[in-house]
């Protein structure tokens, strides 16, 4: 009786594929194991076993699998359940979720290997490029496509390879190769022949002429007193000898060299007792535990610097005592650097970290540790992708700063929200989930008011420090009175000077990187634009170049206008780089630092800057929104927001809510340890209701006002949103496609379809963009709506003219 398996492939197709296996393979295989299969004409993929059964596919002949890659499942049942929910809810394929979940080292893809055909003799019929490849094969038995690219010095090599195949000069094969290599550390031990004292004495006299080798052996005895295995690296450093000496000692059978597999990332740390909570934190903790008896999800609304992390640690400890795992989600990698140190202090080696700045191999190790439920992976700290790890007994998920937009994935698919996906993950594991924030998102706060979530507040700052004094500075007025110095008002400079005189630190916030966003010709008014996107190029003074922040196109700063030849170029607007340079001119005796995407590249970019600021090596730190998220600096007494209006005047229904959250979060970095801090906000419109609400930090006032608007204009949390985006290089194609799509959607959903519209930046990377938004009323079935959209999408993609258009669906696109 034939056996079959259904396989998930890492490709964006909505279904699984059936392959045939032998009875022995079917008995050995389990759900969640990886198998290598051929798909299409030549390509090999790593598929994941989703089902094992005996029903043959009806539409096609099932192929055989190539090989089984695992001895035990790499993905567990709960994960597969979670993946299915993500695929259904966010309207993407299981393949997309599979590709996003597994570290890429697990997704082996085949590589085309080229071999020489020995029967081919007449090389005179070969073209120049073909001959170069053929000649290289005379010296090497095989070549990969990457090597051919290097040999020919160009990327498009397949036509040349295909010509060689036609002429029978070469043949090709697809081979799968493993990417992950475990890290092996080299250790040294003494050969068993030298266990007695006599043998050791004869050994030392034997080595009396080989001084370096004798030193190595004597140093080995010194190190051996600790009874620990001895690393080859430690021995060479201590004895000041080269590794060649160790090798020759090994060749003489004096030393034996062996390897032990170790993890690349290890957190050493002694476990200290948890901090004693103050009475307000104790009360909060008790309330959270009480709400957890009835509700699985609880929202903790704790003002900035109220000591939420200490409350989390107590909860984490209780879950660990029950022998369960904990997932601690953070919105920004920048935040993990500080939280790791704080949690390590309490939990030592039980912490693992998972985010995109880690190498592929490091991520594989964390995955394996979680899968095997090792003690070093009891607490996982990570950015949004860590919800995909193979947890088997999750007890608690903490989502810190739950309002953050960074939890939402926009590109590529699956376009999930990690906070919402974590709530479902907790439900699958029967775990509890705690959402913490000083400025909760309207949706979460709404759910807690509707009694869907538990709700707990913590409204005292740690150490009873008062919330910072917030003052609004009217820039319009200051310009009129000529009291501005560059982009700083006299009041702002006075506050900075006062803080610096008291040896305190300052954070300045400007949510734009670069020197200035627009370069304009004074004569004809033309600004250099990106050739691939509809945006002006941002000027970066440090490298003296113009750069596009969407596609990374860059060119040198021109000396004259490209349109009229005039050399009167002027910059408009300002970014973090310009602020940094202005500050250096105004405060030459102080150290100014900058933290944005340009300065935090590289694996330890964040750590270096945050570390220097904590060590008080930087007096003033200028930065973008990275600074607003939960960082804790005890010596900051002033926070300055240089331009509040850019956040408020943004074409998005959440602009006001986001501006409030951002400003309150940035303000919360001030005065966290002993005395009250100051916050200065520069604005052209100090009477704006959001700025007034920020200055009094009245969240409930902002919430009520925004909720009223959302109800009036039919937006979340009352209505659901699904956004459809079409992209293509040909404007007319996108235009006709989007008009057809709008009519089809309108006939199904009527006035709840908004669009079609072009976004503020209507072309990115040479792709024209058009959007349609569908609003789903509270009573309408979400599942039926999605089914209808899927039907319309299938019809759309069946039309030959529309097939090349990229069709993107984003559920809850905010």
């Amino acid at each position: 009786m034939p056996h079959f398996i259904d396989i998930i492939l890492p490709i964006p197709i909505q279904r699984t594929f059936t392959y045939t296996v032998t009875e022995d393979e079917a008995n050995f295989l389990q759900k969640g194991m990886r198998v290598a299969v051929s798909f299409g004409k030549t390509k090999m993929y790593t598929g994941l076993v989703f089902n094992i059964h005996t029903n043959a596919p009806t539409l096609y002949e099932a192929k055989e699998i190539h090989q089984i890659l695992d001895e035990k499942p790499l993905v567990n049942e709960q994960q597969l359940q979670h993946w299915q929910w993500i695929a259904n809810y966010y309207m993407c394929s299981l393949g997309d979720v599979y590709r996003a979940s597994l570290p890429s080292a697990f997704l082996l893809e085949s590589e085309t290997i080229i071999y020489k055909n020995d029967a081919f003799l007449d090389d005179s019929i070969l073209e120049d490029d073909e001959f170069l490849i053929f000649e290289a094969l005379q010296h090497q038995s095989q070549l990969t496509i990457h090597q051919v690219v290097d040999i020919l010095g160009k990327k498009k090599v397949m036509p040349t390879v295909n010509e060689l195949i036609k002429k029978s000069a070469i043949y090709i094969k697809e081979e799968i190769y493993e990417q992950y290599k475990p890290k092996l550390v080299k250790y040294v031990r003494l050969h068993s022949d030298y266990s007695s004292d006599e043998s050791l004495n004869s050994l030392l006299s034997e080595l009396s002429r080989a001084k370096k080798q004798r030193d190595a052996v004597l140093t080995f005895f010194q190190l051996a007193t600790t009874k620990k295995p001895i690393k080859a690296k430690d021995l060479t450093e201590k004895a000041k000898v080269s590794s060649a000496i160790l090798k020759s000692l090994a060749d003489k059978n004096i030393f034996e060299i062996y390897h032990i597999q170790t993890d690349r990332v290890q957190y050493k740390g002694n476990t200290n007792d948890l901090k004693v909570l103050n009475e307000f934190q104790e009360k909060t903790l008790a309330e959270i535990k009480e709400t957890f008896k009835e509700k699985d999800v609880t929202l903790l609304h704790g003002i900035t610097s109220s000591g939420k992390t200490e409350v989390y640690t107590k909860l984490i400890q209780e879950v660990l005592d029950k022998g369960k795992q904990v997932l601690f989600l953070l919105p920004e990698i920048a935040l993990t650097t500080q939280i790791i140190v704080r949690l390590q202090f309490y939990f030592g080696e039980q912490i693992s970290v998972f985010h995109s700045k880690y190498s592929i191999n490091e991520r594989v190790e964390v995955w394996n540790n979680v899968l095997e439920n090792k003690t070093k992976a009891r607490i996982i700290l990570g950015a949004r992708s860590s919800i995909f790890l193979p947890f088997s007994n999750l007890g608690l998920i903490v989502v810190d700063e739950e309002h953050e937009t960074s939890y939402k994935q926009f590109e590529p698919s699956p376009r999930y929200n990690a906070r919402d996906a974590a709530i479902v993950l907790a439900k699958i594991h029967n775990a509890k989930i705690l959402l913490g924030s000083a400025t909760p998102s309207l949706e979460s706060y709404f759910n807690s008011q509707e009694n869907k979530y538990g709700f707990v507040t913590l409204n005292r700052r740690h150490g009873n420090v008062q919330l910072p004094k917030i003052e609004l500075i009217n820039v319009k007025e200051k310009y009129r009175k000529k009291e501005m110095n560059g982009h700083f008002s006299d009041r702002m400079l006075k506050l900075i000077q006062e803080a610096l005189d008291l040896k305190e630190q300052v954070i300045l916030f400007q949510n734009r990187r670069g020197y200035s966003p627009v370069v304009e010709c004074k004569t004809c008014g033309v600004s250099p634009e990106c050739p691939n996107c509809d945006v002006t190029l941002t000027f970066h003074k440090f490298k003296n170049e113009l750069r596009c922040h969407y596609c990374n196109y860059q060119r040198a700063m021109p000396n004259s206008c490209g349109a009229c030849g005039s050399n009167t170029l002027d910059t408009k607007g300002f970014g973090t780089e310009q602020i940094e340079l202005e500050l250096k001119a105004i405060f030459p005796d102080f150290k100014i630092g900058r933290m944005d995407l340009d300065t935090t590249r590289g694996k330890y970019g964040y750590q270096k800057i945050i570390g220097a600021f904590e060590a008080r090596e930087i007096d003033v730190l200028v930065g973008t929104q990275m600074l607003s998220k939960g960082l804790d600096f005890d010596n900051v007494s002033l926070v300055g927001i240089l331009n509040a209006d850019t956040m408020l005047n943004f074409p998005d229904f959440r602009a006001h809510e986001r501006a409030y959250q951002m400003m309150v979060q940035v303000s919360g970095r001030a005065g966290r340890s002993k005395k009250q801090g100051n916050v200065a906000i520069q604005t052209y419109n100090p009477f704006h209701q959001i700025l007034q609400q920020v200055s009094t930090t009245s969240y409930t006032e902002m919430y009520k006002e925004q909720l009223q608007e959302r109800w009036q204009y039919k937006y979340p949390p009352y209505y659901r949103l699904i956004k459809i985006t079409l992209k293509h290089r040909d404007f007319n194609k996108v235009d006709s496609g989007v008009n057809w799509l709008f009519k089809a959607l309108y006939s199904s959903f009527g006035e709840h379809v908004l669009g079609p519209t072009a976004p503020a930046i209507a072309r990115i990377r040479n792709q024209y963009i058009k959007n349609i938004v569908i609003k789903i009323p509270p009573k309408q079935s979400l599942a039926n709506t999605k089914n209808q959209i899927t039907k319309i999408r299938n019809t759309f993609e069946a039309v030959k003219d529309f097939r090349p258009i990229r069709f993107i669906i984003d559920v809850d696109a905010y």
Side-chain angles (χ1 to χ4, degrees):
M1 186 179 180
H3 289 263
F4 298 94
I5 53 173
D6 291 339
I7 281 180
I8 306 171
L9 288 173
I11 51 177
I13 294 179
Q14 291 288 4
R15 37 178 287 217
T16 55
F17 294 88
T18 308
Y19 285 77
T20 171
V21 288
T22 63
E23 192 173 337
D24 290 345
E25 286 172 335
N27 292 337
F28 175 74
L29 283 168
Q30 294 171 43
K31 268 177 103 163
M33 281 187 177
R34 293 174 310 151
V35 289
V37 293
S38 69
F39 184 76
K41 284 183 182 168
T42 55
K43 199 82 175 122
M44 293 285 240
Y45 281 106
T46 306
L48 195 80
V49 179
F50 187 63
N51 216 343
I52 304 166
H53 55 88
T54 52
N55 313 322
T58 49
L59 298 173
Y60 54 91
E61 185 74 30
K63 291 183 184 177
E64 290 184 359
I65 63 171
H66 181 67
Q67 69 192 79
I68 298 174
L69 297 170
D70 295 319
E71 287 178 14
K72 53 181 191 290
L74 196 70
V75 171
N76 61 36
E77 285 275 355
Q78 288 117 315
Q79 270 178 294
L80 289 170
Q81 207 180 324
H82 191 221
W83 289 8
Q84 280 172 288
W85 178 84
I86 289 177
N88 290 337
Y89 186 82
Y90 291 105
M91 297 177 76
C92 60
S93 68
L94 263 175
D96 282 332
V97 187
Y98 169 42
R99 188 176 267 289
S101 304
L102 263 71
S104 52
F106 285 138
L107 295 172
L108 318 174
E109 285 186 13
S110 58
E111 185 160 39
T112 308
I113 308 286
I114 300 170
Y115 297 92
K116 183 178 72 167
N117 180 6
D118 292 328
F120 179 80
L121 300 168
D122 182 16
D123 57 17
S124 60
I125 62 167
L126 300 180
E127 302 287 324
D128 290 352
D129 280 357
E130 294 164 13
F131 183 74
L132 281 174
I133 299 173
F134 186 71
E135 190 183 34
L137 282 168
Q138 309 288 356
H139 306 291
Q140 276 168 281
S141 59
Q142 60 184 57
L143 289 175
T144 65
I145 293 293
H146 290 299
Q147 288 168 315
V148 172
V149 169
D150 291 342
I151 291 166
L152 298 184
K154 59 182 182 186
K155 287 191 175 154
K156 208 171 174 184
V157 296
M158 282 320 280
T160 314
V161 172
N162 291 335
E163 277 301 313
L164 280 166
I165 296 170
K166 275 186 203 161
K167 293 175 181 171
S168 306
I170 60 168
Y171 62 94
I172 61 173
K173 271 189 193 167
E174 289 283 321
E175 287 190 12
I176 269 199
Y177 56 97
E178 184 72 68
Q179 285 177 303
Y180 170 65
K181 289 187 176 62
K183 182 180 181 186
L184 298 173
V185 178
K186 195 152 91 174
Y187 284 87
V188 178
R189 59 179 167 224
L190 203 59
H191 198 282
S192 52
D193 294 355
Y194 299 103
S195 52
S196 66
D197 291 349
E198 295 89 51
S199 56
L200 285 176
N201 288 332
S202 62
L203 168 64
L204 290 172
S205 55
E206 205 179 300
L207 292 176
S208 56
R209 303 179 80 170
K211 187 174 178 302
K212 289 277 186 198
Q213 292 183 9
R214 185 189 162 101
D215 286 352
V217 173
L218 288 169
T219 310
F220 175 84
F221 290 136
Q222 276 176 354
L223 293 173
T225 54
T226 60
K227 297 276 189 294
K228 280 185 186 166
I230 294 163
K231 287 184 187 171
K233 189 177 168 211
D234 293 350
L235 183 57
T236 52
E237 279 173 10
K238 195 92 195 286
K240 298 189 175 65
V241 295
S242 68
S243 49
I245 301 288
L246 296 192
K247 188 177 179 303
S248 51
L249 283 166
D251 292 343
K252 288 181 180 176
N253 283 342
I254 296 169
F255 277 166
E256 281 179 354
I257 288 174
Y258 63 105
H259 294 86
I260 297 178
Q261 186 177 333
T262 60
D263 280 1
R264 288 173 166 82
V265 181
Q266 289 174 330
Y267 288 102
K268 295 178 182 61
N270 309 322
T271 47
N272 295 291
D273 291 340
L274 299 182
K275 268 190 192 165
V276 178
L277 301 185
N278 63 28
E279 55 179 311
F280 304 106
Q281 290 170 319
E282 281 290 0
K283 183 166 163 280
T284 304
L285 184 65
E287 283 175 15
I288 291 172
K289 286 189 208 160
E290 199 53 45
T291 59
F292 274 160
K293 286 178 186 167
E294 289 174 27
K295 304 267 195 310
D296 288 338
V297 187
T298 293
L299 174 65
L300 169 59
H301 181 197
I303 60 172
T304 53
S305 187
S306 55
K308 292 189 285 291
T309 311
E310 267 61 52
V311 177
Y312 299 155
T313 52
K314 287 280 189 197
L315 279 170
I316 289 170
Q317 188 60 60
E318 287 179 18
V319 174
L320 292 181
D321 292 344
K322 292 178 192 159
K324 295 198 158 193
Q325 296 166 313
V326 177
L327 171 60
F328 196 124
L329 281 176
L330 293 157
E332 275 275 2
I333 299 169
L335 250 179
T336 54
T337 52
Q338 267 205 339
I339 298 264
I340 289 166
V341 177
R342 286 169 72 176
L343 292 187
Q344 236 177 303
F345 181 75
Y346 305 129
F347 301 113
E349 293 178 350
Q350 301 178 52
I351 296 179
S352 286
V353 180
F354 190 83
H355 59 64
S356 58
K357 281 272 198 290
Y358 276 21
S359 72
I360 291 175
N361 290 334
E362 287 164 353
R363 278 183 267 175
V364 168
E365 280 162 10
V366 174
W367 181 283
N368 288 335
N369 291 341
V370 175
L371 186 65
E372 290 158 23
N373 204 355
K374 287 192 178 165
T375 47
K376 63 172 76 165
R378 304 259 314 269
I379 304 172
I380 298 294
L381 258 176
R384 58 175 179 246
S385 55
S386 49
I387 59 164
F388 292 120
L389 286 165
F391 298 104
S392 49
N393 63 343
L394 201 54
L396 173 72
I397 302 178
V398 176
V399 183
D400 198 20
E401 310 294 348
E402 65 84 33
H403 64 277
E404 268 302 335
T405 42
S406 317
Y407 283 127
K408 171 77 176 151
Q409 160 93 353
F410 288 105
E411 249 340 288
S413 179
R415 295 174 179 81
Y416 64 96
N417 185 319
R419 176 197 61 208
D420 301 346
I423 290 173
V424 176
L425 181 67
K427 202 167 185 59
I428 291 172
H429 283 271
N430 289 326
K432 301 294 180 194
I433 180 161
L434 183 64
L435 311 175
S437 174
T439 52
S441 62
L442 250 80
E443 293 78 25
S444 299
Y445 200 79
F446 180 75
N447 282 335
S448 69
Q449 300 299 308
E450 296 283 295
N451 230 356
K452 276 189 192 169
Y453 298 172
F455 182 64
V456 178
T457 53
L458 176 57
N459 47 16
R460 282 292 185 98
R461 285 191 121 183
H462 199 266
N464 275 341
V465 181
Q466 285 182 306
L467 279 166
K469 286 202 295 277
I470 298 176
E471 67 175 277
L472 302 170
I473 300 168
N474 188 340
V475 181
K476 202 174 183 176
E477 191 75 355
K478 296 286 181 192
Y479 270 117
R480 202 169 55 84
K481 293 181 178 168
K482 301 205 164 33
E483 288 173 342
M484 292 292 286
N485 179 350
H487 293 99
F488 296 95
S489 57
D490 57 342
R491 177 73 186 135
M492 180 76 88
L493 289 175
K494 184 171 177 244
L495 288 167
I496 295 174
Q497 189 65 60
E498 282 171 7
L500 293 175
D501 289 345
L502 291 169
K503 300 258 185 302
E504 290 165 345
Q505 290 167 295
V506 179
I507 285 179
L508 293 178
F509 173 79
Q510 167 58 8
N511 212 5
R512 267 186 182 276
R513 61 193 174 99
Y515 183 83
S516 82
V518 181
V519 174
E520 188 181 80
C521 169
K522 281 184 182 172
T523 312
C524 68
V526 169
S527 302
E529 290 193 0
C530 172
N532 313 318
C533 313
D534 281 348
V535 284
T536 53
L537 292 168
T538 302
F539 174 43
H540 285 245
K541 192 163 190 173
F542 175 64
K543 290 189 170 171
N544 197 32
E545 66 182 14
L546 295 173
R547 178 179 289 180
C548 170
H549 286 176
Y550 288 86
C551 68
N552 262 337
Y553 165 84
Q554 57 208 53
R555 56 180 255 215
M557 173 75 177
N559 296 325
S560 57
C561 170
C564 70
S566 155
N567 55 4
T568 52
L569 293 179
D570 188 20
T571 58
K572 290 231 170 8
F574 61 103
T576 45
E577 201 180 38
Q578 187 166 350
I579 296 301
E580 181 191 21
L581 291 169
E582 279 185 21
L583 282 169
K584 282 180 176 167
I586 301 170
F587 302 106
D589 305 337
F590 295 95
K591 183 94 173 64
I592 316 290
R594 172 162 61 97
M595 181 165 161
D596 56 28
L597 201 62
D598 301 314
T599 59
T600 53
R601 297 193 190 281
K603 188 166 167 184
Y604 301 109
Y606 296 102
Q607 276 163 326
K608 283 177 191 153
I609 295 169
I610 289 172
F613 195 62
E614 278 179 329
R616 304 184 187 183
E617 291 163 15
I618 296 174
D619 299 305
V620 183
L621 185 59
V622 184
T624 54
Q625 42 136 30
M626 291 177 182
L627 286 174
S628 66
K629 301 177 186 173
L631 295 168
D632 184 18
F633 303 115
D634 57 3
N635 193 36
V636 172
S637 66
L638 171 69
V639 167
I641 296 173
L642 295 168
N643 187 353
D645 306 299
T646 46
M647 291 183 268
L648 293 166
N649 308 330
F650 202 71
D652 177 14
F653 74 94
R654 293 189 71 179
H656 286 181
E657 179 196 351
R658 294 253 167 87
Y660 176 87
Q661 288 167 341
M662 184 86 81
M663 283 187 250
V664 170
Q665 290 286 351
V666 176
S667 308
R669 304 308 117 222
R672 290 176 73 95
S673 61
K674 297 172 192 71
K675 61 173 216 180
Q676 188 179 16
N678 288 314
V679 177
I681 301 176
Q682 294 191 162
T683 169
Y684 284 90
N685 182 5
F687 305 106
H688 194 292
Q689 91 262 21
I690 287 288
L691 292 173
Q692 292 297 325
Q693 286 155 3
V694 168
S695 65
T696 53
T697 27
S698 44
Y699 177 82
T700 41
E701 225 177 276
M702 185 278 298
Y703 168 75
K704 282 176 188 152
E705 196 170 297
Q706 292 300 315
L707 206 62
Q708 182 59 41
E709 284 188 10
R710 300 283 178 91
W711 174 248
Q712 194 178 340
Y713 297 109
K714 301 182 172 149
Y715 275 106
Y718 299 107
Y719 279 56
R720 291 305 235 323
L721 293 188
I722 293 180
K723 179 171 150 195
I724 296 176
T725 305
L726 299 186
K727 288 184 180 180
H728 195 265
R729 297 176 85 90
D730 180 348
F731 177 78
N732 295 331
K733 223 177 212 141
V734 176
D735 206 41
S736 58
V738 84
N739 288 330
W740 181 93
L741 185 64
F742 174 73
K743 284 174 193 152
L745 290 167
Y746 194 82
S747 63
S748 294
F749 305 113
E751 63 193 23
H752 293 307
V753 183
L754 305 184
T757 56
I761 296 161
R763 180 177 61 112
I764 293 178
R765 295 199 164 100
N766 281 324
Q767 303 252 0
Y768 290 93
I769 305 170
K770 289 277 185 176
N771 293 331
I772 290 178
V773 173
I774 302 161
K775 288 183 176 176
I776 304 166
K779 300 275 189 296
Q780 190 175 312
S781 155
L782 193 62
N784 295 345
T785 308
K786 287 177 179 173
N787 290 339
Q788 186 58 28
I789 292 173
T790 307
K791 279 181 196 159
I792 293 172
R793 177 185 184 160
N794 292 341
T795 318
F796 179 87
E797 288 176 344
V799 179
K800 193 179 170 203
D801 282 356
F802 300 157
R803 213 168 289 153
I805 300 175
R806 249 191 96 192
F807 192 110
I808 297 166
I809 297 181
D810 192 352
V811 179
D812 297 344
Y814 46 83

